[in-house]
Amino acid sequence: NAGVTQTPKFQVLKTGQSMTLQCAQDMNHEYMSWYRQDPGMGLRLIHYSVGAGITDQGEVPNGYNVSRSTTEDFPLRLLSAAPSQTSVYFCASSPSLYPNTEAFFGQGTRLTVV
Amino acid sequence: AQTVTQSQPEMSVQEAETVTLSCTYDTSESNYYLFWYKQPPSRQMILVIRQEAYKQQNATENRFSVNFQKAAKSFSLKISDSQLGDTAMYFCAFLGGAGGTSYGKLTFGQGTILTVHP
């Protein structure tokens, strides 16, 4: 039972490079989301999706793009990496928002932008 | 926008003792959910306990219980009989309910690092 799988686990980018963080879930969950975790700030919502073809912005969306072409996959794209995007990124999924509200998280991606 | 505040950056407790982690939140909504998540050094996010705002009874999961004070917008976590494996970062989180402006958005507090000493 894979759950939520994020790849890669670690990544170093140069300023200005682009890349995609992959997120896949095998639980047929409707709701998926991306967060970044920074020291002293908890986890902040970047983008989320309530189903295939539907995405919306969270608290800190600038510099990131998402798409949801399938139920299983929710990739996060960094368009032009900046040092301020150095962070740990988490993908999460839920079967539906209500009534079962538990979010299942991937193991995170530690991204360093130099 | 909703806010969640954890005012204790770090806490420590002796093994087998009880510790309480504080969380306050600010919202104008009446329908919402509250959570405590645990993040051990492995970085994995683990759900500890969940509380529906419409339920007056405080949630309990084994050694973990909450004190939910809706009027005061307070949601503290009590860990009884602390174990070494409880050492982790703990996050309080808010999820807006259907019909509200924060519907579907999970907002986290800053986190509290808990260390359990032998």
Side-chain angles (χ1 to χ4, degrees):
Chain A
N1 190 359
V4 180
T5 302
Q6 282 184 241
T7 55
K9 288 187 171 51
F10 301 92
Q11 182 71 49
V12 178
L13 285 180
K14 293 183 178 179
T15 297
Q17 287 184 317
S18 63
M19 80 159 294
T20 299
L21 305 185
Q22 300 293 342
C23 177
Q25 52 93 5
D26 62 357
M27 299 173 282
N28 200 32
H29 286 175
E30 294 179 7
Y31 184 83
M32 298 185 73
S33 51
W34 277 101
Y35 299 84
R36 58 177 290 172
Q37 181 179 7
D38 302 292
M41 304 187 76
L43 279 74
R44 292 181 292 168
L45 182 64
I46 304 171
H47 286 286
Y48 66 103
S49 168
V50 298
I54 305 170
T55 63
D56 204 348
Q57 296 181 349
E59 182 183 354
V60 288
N62 293 341
Y64 307 95
N65 271 357
V66 292
S67 61
R68 184 94 180 271
S69 56
T70 67
T71 300
E72 295 77 20
D73 300 299
F74 190 44
L76 178 72
R77 298 182 187 85
L78 280 70
L79 309 173
S80 177
S84 61
Q85 293 178 304
T86 293
S87 187
V88 178
Y89 291 84
F90 286 95
C91 177
S93 74
S94 304
S96 64
L97 284 177
Y98 309 100
N100 186 344
T101 54
E102 178 177 354
F104 294 82
F105 285 82
Q107 291 199 306
T109 297
R110 182 176 292 279
L111 176 68
T112 303
V113 183
V114 298
Chain B
Q2 325 309 311
T3 59
V4 178
T5 302
Q6 295 178 247
S7 58
Q8 306 154 314
E10 295 185 39
M11 295 279 286
S12 64
V13 64
Q14 292 295 127
E15 197 174 7
E17 294 188 345
T18 296
V19 64
T20 298
L21 307 185
S22 300
C23 173
T24 58
Y25 59 95
D26 186 23
T27 183
S28 58
E29 300 180 19
S30 59
N31 181 24
Y32 53 88
Y33 295 75
L34 296 165
F35 306 85
W36 279 97
Y37 277 90
K38 170 184 177 180
Q39 186 181 45
S42 67
R43 216 165 63 192
Q44 184 67 41
M45 293 288 287
I46 303 165
L47 177 66
V48 175
I49 199 163
R50 163 177 48 210
Q51 174 80 43
E52 292 86 347
Y54 62 86
K55 290 186 177 179
Q56 294 186 347
Q57 186 173 6
N58 289 326
T60 299
E61 288 287 342
N62 300 314
R63 298 183 294 109
F64 299 89
S65 61
V66 299
N67 184 5
F68 174 46
Q69 301 290 328
K70 190 171 184 178
K73 297 178 182 174
S74 171
F75 183 61
S76 60
L77 175 69
K78 185 172 83 171
I79 305 174
S80 304
D81 186 26
S82 296
Q83 300 176 359
L84 297 178
D86 295 334
T87 293
M89 173 86 84
Y90 287 82
F91 291 101
C92 178
F94 172 102
L95 177 67
T101 59
S102 62
Y103 174 67
K105 297 181 181 180
L106 194 57
T107 301
F108 286 84
Q110 303 92 328
T112 297
I113 300 173
L114 175 67
T115 303
V116 180
H117 297 285

